[in-house]
Amino acid sequence: MSQDRGQFSSRLGFILAAAGSAVGLGNLVAFPVMASKNGGAAFLIIYLFFIAFICYPVMIAEISMGRKTQRNPVGAFSALSDGDRKWRLVGMLGILTPFMIAVFYTVITVWLVVYLKEIATGGLETLADEATFGTLVAEPSLFGYLILLLGIVFTILLGGVKGGIERLARVLMPTLAVMLILLTLFVLTLDGAVEGIKYYLVPDFSKVSLTVVNGALSQAFFSLSLGMGILITYGSYFGREDNIPQSTRMVAIADTSIAFFAGLLILPAIFAFDPNTNTDDLSTSSVGLIFSFLPKIFLSMQMAVGYTGASIVALVFFTLVFFAALTSLVSIVEIPISCWIDELKMSRKKAVLLQAGLLAVFAIPATMSLGMSDFFTNFTSYGGVTKSFFDLVSDVFYETILPLVGFTVCIFASYRWKTSGLSEEISKGDPAYEGSLLQKYINFSLGTVIPAVLLVVFLSTVYQIYL
Ligand code: PHE
């Protein structure tokens, strides 16, 4: 085994790093808006149900596969199936998916960097103008920020699992939590905030439809970084004797709590500063909301706290979002790197450089997809809509493939590796697992109900996007 694999220093290190991956744009923006549009507490209940009964077992299965094999997704599927070509191919999907998701996540994170710079230099007012986002994402100066961001990400990854990924999460995750709590407390003291809380939390079961249920599951799955090979890889860096179910629970709780708190921040902020908010304007797309809508909300705070005050609040918020995006981005870029280290027997340094080159090759056209280049902007069309290169990558890998990878993990763990193998691995750090209710539930559901549900989500997404 390569000496460059690395390992987290402790259970806490693993929990923080995995939470760093899980907490991202999905928590801070998509979740609050989805919850408030789809029945408030009614949505929350459905979401929590999915986290506990569908996602939690899949998380445990992914982490256990990684820890058992001490490998990346390709290596893990291959090792547990005695080198079966079919399963190795499935493992490759588990590398390709994070590889491509990293491409468009990089582009969004670059925009965050640009926004941070703009706000810090007094440009909040410009950002609040509807037209700004469209011009900004088509400016060639984005490449400068792209280089800067890639420089940061790959420097962290050069530091390795303990010295890079874990260290970053140890600093950023507590900072993020404190910033989120302080900002939420500040917003909750404003007049009108109560309207936002009501809008967010009063349950309205009449809004719950099949599409909402489907959306809740996709969101839960995505938010926990499932189906991206991330937890398989992080599992491979997890201590042999550590307790998987317990640590996994901590990650799920941290991720869900941050999503919940983000709702307590964003919706009251929106209602406090614009009591006439038309709720239909709250797009579920995180991108539209963060980049076009929120700067307006922050700007309207100037009445209460002045322009500088409003800019400071906006800066804190965007820094928070940037931290969340950075830890997620680092986690996803690590997956192909771990594959190059394990499968191609590369040193970490070489693997990091290779991945930096590969990511840049794809991130450049994705950056040019929003108006900079006609070819990449009108790249293709399906489902009756013209799609850019950026849209294509996001639709295929982010929206569609995740539940499919989740499905294959369940089927693999249940029927190829078998639940006896899974149980043995989990029991190593949790002697009470054998015979427990959790074991009975996982053994039953992982090969039946859970993959069936994930398959339905996959098929309905295909139907919605492409047909
Ligand atoms: N879990 C992240 C979120 O909620 C999603 C993500 C993780 C995306 C890692 C990319 C990479 O936003």
Side-chain angles (χ1 to χ4, degrees):
M1 197 177 303
S2 166
Q3 296 193 335
D4 276 302
R5 284 209 97 254
Q7 200 177 20
F8 293 119
S9 64
S10 64
R11 215 162 72 86
L12 182 67
F14 166 82
I15 293 171
L16 286 172
S21 171
V23 173
L25 301 176
N27 303 60
L28 294 179
V29 191
F31 175 82
V33 178
M34 269 183 127
S36 50
K37 285 185 83 158
N38 297 321
F43 180 88
L44 199 65
I45 293 167
I46 301 171
Y47 183 83
L48 289 178
F49 177 86
F50 284 146
I51 296 274
F53 292 100
I54 306 272
C55 298
Y56 181 54
V58 183
M59 283 177 92
I60 291 183
E62 284 201 14
I63 295 170
S64 306
M65 279 176 70
R67 192 175 69 180
K68 168 78 189 167
T69 57
Q70 303 282 298
R71 285 278 184 282
N72 67 90
V74 174
F77 274 100
S78 179
L80 291 173
S81 66
D82 301 321
D84 188 331
R85 292 271 292 273
K86 272 198 315 288
W87 287 112
R88 206 176 156 81
L89 275 176
V90 171
M92 284 179 189
L93 194 64
I95 296 291
L96 183 67
T97 307
F99 183 98
M100 294 309 282
I101 289 181
V103 171
F104 85 90
Y105 216 79
T106 300
V107 178
I108 299 181
T109 314
V110 168
W111 300 339
L112 284 172
V113 179
V114 178
Y115 267 54
L116 280 176
K117 184 236 141 206
E118 274 297 315
I119 300 170
T121 52
L124 179 61
E125 196 161 8
T126 325
L127 296 181
D129 181 340
E130 295 264 326
T132 303
F133 180 66
T135 1
L136 217 141
V137 295
E139 273 181 24
S141 62
L142 280 186
F143 288 120
Y145 295 97
L146 176 64
I147 293 170
L148 176 70
L149 178 67
L150 293 181
I152 297 174
V153 168
F154 287 100
T155 307
I156 293 164
L157 287 167
L158 264 182
V161 177
K162 210 179 297 172
I165 301 174
E166 181 179 327
R167 202 158 75 178
L168 180 79
R170 277 184 186 269
V171 177
L172 292 195
M173 291 314 285
T175 315
L176 186 148
V178 171
M179 280 164 85
L180 181 62
I181 291 170
L182 291 181
L183 212 53
T184 309
L185 288 177
F186 166 70
V187 166
L188 289 180
T189 59
L190 303 168
D191 287 344
V194 178
E195 270 317 299
I197 300 181
K198 271 198 213 143
Y199 184 63
Y200 179 39
L201 289 179
V202 172
D204 177 358
F205 285 94
S206 71
K207 293 240 177 80
V208 175
S209 66
L210 214 58
T211 326
V212 169
V213 174
N214 193 337
L217 181 55
S218 304
Q219 172 64 21
F221 207 76
F222 159 73
S223 187
L224 291 172
S225 295
L226 281 169
M228 306 185 199
I230 293 179
L231 293 178
I232 297 181
T233 310
Y234 276 22
S236 75
Y237 303 145
F238 190 42
R240 277 275 180 216
E241 306 304 324
D242 285 331
N243 185 319
I244 293 180
Q246 208 179 58
S247 313
T248 308
R249 213 157 37 232
M250 298 294 289
V251 176
I253 290 173
D255 184 63
T256 311
S257 311
I258 298 232
F260 180 76
F261 270 101
L264 278 184
L265 165 66
I266 291 196
L267 291 150
I270 292 176
F271 280 87
F273 289 103
D274 188 0
N276 304 320
T277 301
N278 175 357
T279 49
D280 291 337
D281 283 353
L282 293 179
S283 120
T284 16
S285 118
S286 332
V287 170
L289 195 96
I290 303 182
F291 295 105
S292 304
F293 195 72
L294 287 180
K296 273 194 277 190
I297 295 298
F298 289 121
L299 184 65
S300 64
M301 284 189 187
Q302 63 180 331
M303 250 99 79
V305 291
Y307 188 69
T308 313
S311 299
I312 292 175
V313 177
L315 198 62
V316 174
F317 178 80
F318 276 93
T319 307
L320 201 151
V321 179
F322 174 69
F323 285 173
L326 185 66
T327 44
S328 295
L329 187 58
V330 163
S331 78
I332 204 152
V333 179
E334 169 67 8
I335 314 314
I337 291 178
S338 73
C339 180
W340 313 147
I341 293 175
D342 294 342
E343 307 303 310
L344 305 180
K345 309 273 175 276
M346 280 186 173
S347 66
R348 171 163 282 272
K349 195 167 160 197
K350 269 200 189 139
V352 166
L353 289 177
L354 169 66
Q355 188 52 30
L358 289 172
L359 180 57
V361 167
F362 286 90
I364 290 169
T367 305
M368 295 167 77
S369 284
L370 288 108
M372 217 186 289
S373 138
D374 249 2
F375 177 73
F376 291 117
T377 306
N378 304 308
F379 194 65
T380 177
S381 85
Y382 47 83
V385 197
T386 306
K387 300 275 186 170
S388 67
F389 179 71
F390 178 92
D391 294 332
L392 176 70
V393 174
S394 142
D395 282 350
V396 173
F397 293 97
Y398 206 40
E399 304 275 354
T400 319
I401 301 277
L402 295 192
L404 187 66
V405 178
F407 168 83
T408 57
V409 166
C410 298
I411 298 294
F412 182 78
S414 298
Y415 301 109
R416 180 71 215 218
W417 186 21
K418 303 225 181 339
T419 41
S420 52
L422 178 64
S423 295
E424 194 189 316
E425 184 57 33
I426 300 174
S427 299
K428 275 185 199 146
D430 182 7
Y433 181 70
E434 205 66 55
S436 67
L437 206 61
L438 179 65
Q439 184 196 31
K440 291 193 179 88
Y441 177 69
I442 291 185
N443 286 0
F444 159 72
S445 61
L446 206 63
T448 52
V449 188
I450 300 178
V453 171
L454 292 175
L455 195 61
V456 170
V457 172
F458 168 69
L459 294 174
S460 70
T461 310
V462 170
Y463 179 77
Q464 274 170 26
I465 299 186
Y466 308 96
L467 303 174

